[in-house]
Amino acid sequence: MNQPDYEFLRKLLRDKSGLDLSADKQYLIESRLLPLARKAGLASISDLVQKLKDGSSTLISQVVEAMTTNETFFFRDKVPFDHFRDVIMPELLKARANRKSIRIWCAACSTGQEPYSLAMSLKEMSGALSGWRVEIVATDLSQEVLEKSKAGLYSQFEVQRGLPIQLLVKYFKQAGELWQINSDVRGMVQHRQLNLLHDFSQLGTFDVVFCRNVLIYFDQDTKINIFGRLAKLMEPDGFLVLGAAETVVGLTDVFKPLADRRGLYRPSGVASTAKAPLPGARVAVGN
Amino acid sequence: MKTCLVVDDSSVVRKIARRILEELGFSVVEAEDGEQALELCTKSLPDAILLDWNMPVMDGYDFLGRLRRMPGGETPKVVFCTTENDIDHISRALNAGANEYIMKPFDKEIVAAKFQEVGLIQALSAESA
Ligand SMILES: C[S@@+](CC[C@H](N)C(=O)[O-])C[C@H]1O[C@@H](n2cnc3c(N)ncnc32)[C@H](O)[C@@H]1O
């Protein structure tokens, strides 16, 4: 792949999805985009780039989606879900005792393992939640993973990564070779397509935000901007949960880490300066 | 070092399981059927048992029932590892005292995840996305 083509794709990906590729990721682009180019009847990355320059928005989305990493699994890293059960929910049950409603956002839900892990956790504490309204909003940039999440169908391999066997027996049904999460659990999760680079204030206010293993792909300014806008849409006593390799430390003071609770953050009350999406993102076409 | 008893009538499966378990830090003992496994358990109880279902002489389900009635037999963590991949078999195994259940085919990642689930090994260090 020639340098101008690489730079074009790098910029396109950064503008559309926030993906921050270093200068030496040609092989990654080739391995993911060459199959896509061929499927579209194009012979090379150069032809693909030409087509993209002509401004085909479906092709742009396909390229962006092909470059995302959708790796996920049930109860990934375990600890955040222990925090959810042992810290977040007990505290919210007290703090929201009058309102009796809680809103949770999975901000990059991929194929659904994360929101469904939360939904199953809630089912497991349903005794304490009777009379409560708990909403889980699951969003992702990629339409393809959202469709899979909505269907709630998983392979035998997927249901054996992180999902305790008791929960498989309790909340799944066999569907041929696959396993489908029960409709009452599926019904607890609302799906929407959403690009984190764009304005998301219309989603309303949340008590809990799981934003895990997505900011890791973004550059520093984008991370800071998203933290700022996340802080704005969260309840002052809400909880933010990040991935194992992510932190706010050194980037922003709109959230503060909870002592002894790895990956768990709360709004600090400090006002953010970044309240709108970064300029480039607002005029984005396609996604 | 923790010990794991691998019970499977296939020598190939035992060999694969042994390699994975040794990589996970276990010292491994093998048995070809439930009867052999029970004999080994009366001599010394392992920390973990990776257990096939269908085997000649004594199957895994039968073995599990007898193990759990032995003195001290409730302590080993028992993880089924079988091609019996339907809810009925899984439920029966859990009712008989199995701690976890692996549906074959399996690999290191699944064994590690399941052993972690029942507290036999620590969480793998945080990996990135
Ligand atoms: C590695 S997965 C993380 C899934 C899950 N949160 C977890 O931790 O297991 C990353 C997800 O982020 C999504 N993604 C990437 N860029 C995005 C963006 N700009 N807006 C929203 N989602 C994005 C991808 O489509 C992918 O499904």
Side-chain angles (χ1 to χ4, degrees), chain A residues 16-18 68-73 76 107-111 114 139-142 145 194-197 211-214 217-218, chain B residues 129:
Chain A
K16 300 298 180 201
S17 73
T68 59
T69 299
N70 303 315
E71 162 87 352
T72 186
F73 43 94
R76 181 175 191 170
C109 65
S110 190
T111 41
E114 184 175 83
T139 64
D140 200 282
L141 167 79
S142 158
V145 298
L194 184 123
N195 187 337
L196 289 169
L197 299 189
C211 185
R212 302 171 65 220
N213 303 304
V214 60
Y217 302 107
F218 300 165

Side-chain angles (χ1 to χ4, degrees), chain A residues 34-52:
Chain A
L34 216 43
L36 191 153
R38 301 247 157 86
K39 249 172 74 188
L42 302 163
S44 66
I45 297 285
S46 279
D47 292 353
L48 179 69
V49 166
Q50 195 47 54
K51 196 90 173 180
L52 290 167

Side-chain angles (χ1 to χ4, degrees), chain A residues 89-115:
Chain A
M89 285 305 292
E91 198 152 315
L92 289 176
L93 282 170
K94 270 188 258 156
R96 304 287 180 269
N98 291 326
R99 203 170 83 191
K100 283 195 161 38
S101 78
I102 295 173
R103 297 190 78 224
I104 303 167
W105 179 23
C106 272
C109 65
S110 190
T111 41
Q113 283 89 331
E114 184 175 83

